[in-house]
Amino acid sequence: MKPPELATRATPRQDRSRATKDLVLQVAAAVLGEVGLEGFNTNLIAERAGVGPRAIYRYFPNKFAILGALASELLELERAWVGDLSAIGAAEDWRIGVERSIVGYFDSAAAQPGYAALRTAIHALPELQAIVNDANGSLQDDLAQGLKALGVDLAPPRLNALCRTIIEASARILEIALEAPPTEAQLLLGELKRMVVNLLRDYLP
């Protein structure tokens, strides 16, 4: 079976065209969050966006390309949601900074339309996993730099392993928390904060 095409067709040059493409992605995220992957289709997106199907196909050959564009945009936001650990002040307890990053990620992801549904789609469509791997690579580099700035002194292979462990474990628990009722979500966040802090305790004063 041929994998779905994820590449977009054109890069809009005019303001109006860029606005149309941005609108399509904004509406697509909301539609994905509402109907999930099974109900996600270009006709519904066109209807909700108030544009013709041709306006969508001008930029996206199919719904999978829309999902790929959404994944690229939303996963890039993760770096801003997590924040920069190296910005933690010398007088501030690093534990507070780590916990703030986890809460900041969760709150931002919960407020982002379609984010939880997009994460579900990523697990269902292996073709989107390459986009996630690229995003996680950038996030891993950010985390490694932040931990080094806080005083973690490890050889690169072990530091990379530490960062990957934190990212992969955190991503899965946060995905579950985003789908959970509020009380359960807060309990999961509490356990995640304790887990990450305890993991880093051996490497930080």
Side-chain angles (χ1 to χ4, degrees):
M1 178 178 178
K2 182 180 179 181
E5 184 179 350
L6 298 182
T8 57
R9 277 184 168 151
T11 300
R13 292 186 171 87
Q14 298 181 348
D15 290 344
R16 183 176 178 181
S17 297
R18 283 195 294 270
T20 299
K21 185 176 181 181
D22 290 344
L23 174 63
V24 167
L25 288 176
Q26 180 181 350
V27 171
V31 167
L32 181 62
E34 179 184 338
V35 303
L37 183 59
E38 292 300 320
F40 186 78
N41 62 73
T42 53
N43 288 334
L44 181 56
I45 295 168
E47 177 186 334
R48 297 286 181 86
V51 301
R54 289 180 63 183
I56 292 181
Y57 291 127
R58 185 178 300 124
Y59 307 111
F60 305 102
N62 51 49
K63 69 177 185 179
F64 301 105
I66 297 175
L67 288 170
L70 282 177
S72 294
E73 288 195 355
L74 293 182
L75 293 175
E76 180 62 27
L77 288 175
E78 289 184 343
R79 298 173 70 182
W81 296 345
V82 170
D84 183 4
L85 291 180
S86 62
I88 297 175
E92 184 179 6
D93 189 332
W94 62 266
R95 298 164 185 81
I96 295 175
V98 168
E99 292 178 358
R100 184 170 59 237
S101 291
I102 292 172
V103 172
Y105 178 105
F106 177 82
D107 288 345
S108 297
Q112 184 69 40
Y115 182 80
L118 178 63
R119 275 291 186 176
T120 299
I122 287 169
H123 290 302
L125 296 171
E127 293 81 12
L128 295 178
Q129 197 59 49
I131 297 174
V132 176
N133 291 340
D134 287 344
N136 282 351
S138 297
L139 195 58
Q140 181 174 305
D141 291 341
D142 289 349
L143 181 57
Q145 291 300 317
L147 291 179
K148 285 194 289 186
L150 290 178
V152 173
D153 184 19
L154 292 173
R158 188 170 179 186
L159 178 60
N160 288 337
L162 173 63
C163 292
R164 184 170 183 180
T165 298
I166 293 172
I167 290 170
E168 297 289 347
S170 297
R172 186 61 189 129
I173 293 171
L174 287 164
E175 286 175 0
I176 297 171
L178 286 169
E179 299 284 0
T183 300
E184 183 182 348
Q186 291 306 310
L187 290 173
L188 288 166
L189 286 181
E191 293 304 321
L192 176 59
K193 287 186 283 188
R194 277 186 281 276
M195 182 187 76
V196 176
V197 166
N198 286 333
L199 183 61
L200 293 175
R201 199 185 304 275
D202 290 338
Y203 307 107
L204 289 169

